Amino acid sequence: MKRLTNKRAIVTGAAQGIGLAIARSFVAEGACVALVDINARRGHEATEELANLGAEVCFIEVDVADSKAVDAMMAEAAKRLGPPNVLVNNAGVAVFRDPLEMAVEDWRHCFTIDLDGAWHCSRAVLPHLLKHGQGDIINIASVHASQIIPKCFPYPVAKHAVVGLTRALAIEYADRGIRVNAISPGYIGTEIVENVFASASDPEKLREETNALHPVKRIGRPEEVACTAVFLASDEARFLTAQNIVIDGGRSILFHQ
């Protein structure tokens, strides 16, 4: 039997990058998956890709910052795939600003997506999980949730809060069969990161320098984050909750470079 047989998962930010890798890995392990994203074109393309492989999937367009839209999305996912028992809060945005020059709108944009979005989706899925006495919420945080990198404000503040949300919900519902965990990726070779390399004056030099920052001498791959999400959503992780698993090739452990 596949590891996620009988799992009905919702993955936000699933149109590309880590979210798409998680959706691919989930269906490969037997899950039904609702791919959720604000980008309708890419979301439909990703869903079509998985459906052509024989997966039971659907796409729902939603802005996770809109709580009413999230409620409607959750109802639609339950109608199309059955009551969800796994939620992956992956949708997010990186906002990097100078603290004193940052507009209020930038602060709000960061938090309404990175934190409020995770809460809106969690609040909407919890009644389904509680009704069946089991389920998993997996929040995609970041190494920014534990290690501060200059010139990245206020993104680390939001990601610290995502880990706080993870721990608080985990303890609140631990005795009711609900597990809540976080994954904190470091440098991962998503399309966004590849675009950063490509935009550099010397792309290969930047790539080599970035690889060299890591004890394993490379950056991570989206599917490596997805493997951890599969584990957390599976019955193999029954005694694991309120945790934040860092996936960064050992980078954040270094004291001095």
Side-chain angles (χ1 to χ4, degrees), residues 7-13 22 26 32-34 36 62 64 70 73-74 77 83-91 116-129 134-140 165 169 178-183 229 232-233:
K7 301 290 185 179
R8 297 173 298 278
I10 293 172
V11 181
T12 70
I22 290 172
F26 274 25
C32 304
V33 179
V36 173
V62 74
V64 296
V70 167
M73 174 275 290
M74 199 64 64
N85 48 25
V86 178
L87 167 67
V88 180
N89 283 313
N90 171 71
D116 293 352
W119 165 236
H120 293 157
C121 294
S122 298
R123 177 189 51 76
V125 82
L126 275 166
H128 293 287
L129 309 188
Q134 61 86 29
D136 290 276
I137 297 175
I138 302 166
N139 295 320
I140 306 301
L165 175 68
L169 288 178
I178 313 303
R179 299 177 301 191
V180 188
N181 291 289
I183 298 173
L232 290 175

Side-chain angles (χ1 to χ4, degrees), residues 1-8 26 29-32 85 235:
M1 181 181 294
K2 294 182 177 180
R3 299 164 75 191
L4 299 185
T5 298
N6 298 322
K7 301 290 185 179
R8 297 173 298 278
F26 274 25
E29 289 292 344
C32 304
N85 48 25
D235 292 338

Side-chain angles (χ1 to χ4, degrees), residues 4 11 14 20 33 43 45 94 100 110-111 117 124 133 162 164 166 182 193 200 212 223 233 242 251-253 255 257:
L4 299 185
V11 181
L20 179 53
V33 179
E45 290 174 351
L100 295 183
C110 183
F111 277 81
V162 169
T166 300
V193 170
E223 56 268 28
R251 170 62 189 166
S252 61
I253 299 300
F255 175 70
Q257 185 67 28

Side-chain angles (χ1 to χ4, degrees), residues 188-240:
I188 305 297
T190 62
E191 182 177 332
I192 293 173
V193 170
E194 290 298 328
N195 287 340
V196 170
F197 289 151
S199 66
S201 58
D202 189 339
E204 286 310 309
K205 180 180 179 182
L206 179 58
R207 185 186 300 276
E208 290 173 3
E209 289 174 347
T210 304
N211 287 338
L213 290 173
H214 298 76
V216 297
K217 302 307 176 187
R218 68 173 178 87
I219 63 173
R221 297 186 291 270
E223 56 268 28
E224 292 173 322
V225 181
C227 287
T228 302
V230 167
F231 166 66
L232 290 175
S234 76
D235 292 338
E236 299 165 15
R238 286 189 297 267
F239 199 56
L240 200 160

